Amino acid sequence: MINEKPNIFFITIDSLRSDHCFGDNRTVQTPNIDYLINSGVYFTQAISSADQTGTSLASIYTGLSPSTSGLTHFNFSKQVKTYFNYFKEYGYYTSGCFPDHDFFINLGSNLDENYFYVYSKLESWKNLSGGIGDYIINKLKSLKQHQPWLFSVHIMDLHNLFALPEEYNDEKYGKNNYEKMLSFIDFWLGKF
């Protein structure tokens, strides 16, 4: 029997600027993001609902405005339903890979499975090249046993540019460390 419900891989990238995702004047190398834009839907005039990660993501995860969602970066009401709740009710296996910030820990508390990577301690912070990328790839492979599935990932590599891999510290990947890190993230998106 063919599963009629599609699997969903939902990725959010902290601190991603739209002007680095489209336009002719970019120096960043993003063939995978370019592919997603060209083969999907891309909003050139999207505006963030808030200026803080948790509050902005709360709008995405609930479909509500920041003033009515009940969720912020520092406050979390478990009475508010997120799209994880709705997908679980619809028969989806839900999992996530998030930084170990309280907002994401609360958000992921009702998932079937979650992984919280170290972000709160700078000296042991993990990023895509520090094991998170490999975890995501392995999780995508293992999700085959759960149909249908929703896997949500939040990538923090652009938020802290100190973890730029040496091989991406080259002008061919961008004019500055932000662009070079985005080129590196794009490489991982292609692997996913």
Side-chain angles (χ1 to χ4, degrees):
M1 177 178 216
I2 296 175
N3 182 5
E4 295 183 21
K5 297 177 186 175
N7 295 320
I8 300 168
F9 183 33
F10 186 78
I11 303 171
T12 52
I13 303 172
D14 205 275
S15 304
L16 178 61
R17 292 176 39 185
S18 65
D19 61 338
H20 286 77
C21 294
F22 66 93
D24 297 330
N25 297 327
R26 299 178 306 138
T27 60
V28 65
Q29 299 297 313
T30 57
N32 296 301
I33 290 174
D34 296 345
Y35 172 79
L36 292 172
I37 289 171
N38 292 327
S39 63
V41 176
Y42 182 75
F43 301 97
T44 59
Q45 295 185 15
I47 298 171
S48 179
S49 62
D51 63 351
Q52 192 175 49
T53 299
T55 308
S56 179
L57 288 176
S59 289
I60 293 171
Y61 292 132
T62 64
L64 302 171
S65 70
S67 62
T68 60
S69 73
L71 309 179
T72 68
H73 204 63
F74 302 102
N75 298 309
F76 198 96
S77 170
K78 295 201 181 213
Q79 276 63 53
V80 176
K81 286 181 102 173
T82 66
Y83 73 79
F84 296 121
N85 301 101
Y86 294 106
F87 276 97
K88 282 180 78 167
E89 290 172 8
Y90 199 56
Y92 275 75
Y93 181 84
T94 57
S95 61
C97 177
F98 304 113
D100 63 352
H101 185 280
D102 288 344
F103 173 83
F104 290 102
I105 292 171
N106 285 318
L107 179 72
S109 65
N110 67 344
L111 300 178
D112 294 308
E113 182 180 13
N114 52 52
Y115 175 72
F116 301 106
Y117 58 87
V118 175
Y119 178 73
S120 59
K121 297 178 183 170
L122 189 62
E123 64 277 1
S124 57
W125 182 71
K126 292 202 174 187
N127 57 16
L128 289 170
S129 64
I132 302 304
D134 289 332
Y135 172 82
I136 293 168
I137 288 171
N138 290 332
K139 176 51 62 188
L140 287 167
K141 290 175 184 175
S142 74
L143 284 170
K144 292 177 183 176
Q145 64 184 328
H146 304 284
Q147 297 292 328
W149 52 260
L150 165 68
F151 182 35
S152 184
V153 172
H154 188 73
I155 297 172
M156 294 293 293
D157 293 50
L158 278 176
H159 195 72
N160 288 326
L161 300 174
F162 66 86
L164 179 68
E166 186 60 38
E167 64 269 23
Y168 277 79
N169 195 11
D170 187 311
E171 285 188 15
K172 71 180 179 182
Y173 296 113
K175 290 181 182 176
N176 55 50
N177 283 353
Y178 181 93
E179 293 180 349
K180 293 171 187 175
M181 184 61 87
L182 182 52
S183 293
F184 174 68
I185 292 170
D186 186 80
F187 162 77
W188 277 99
L189 292 177
K191 290 182 78 165
F192 301 153

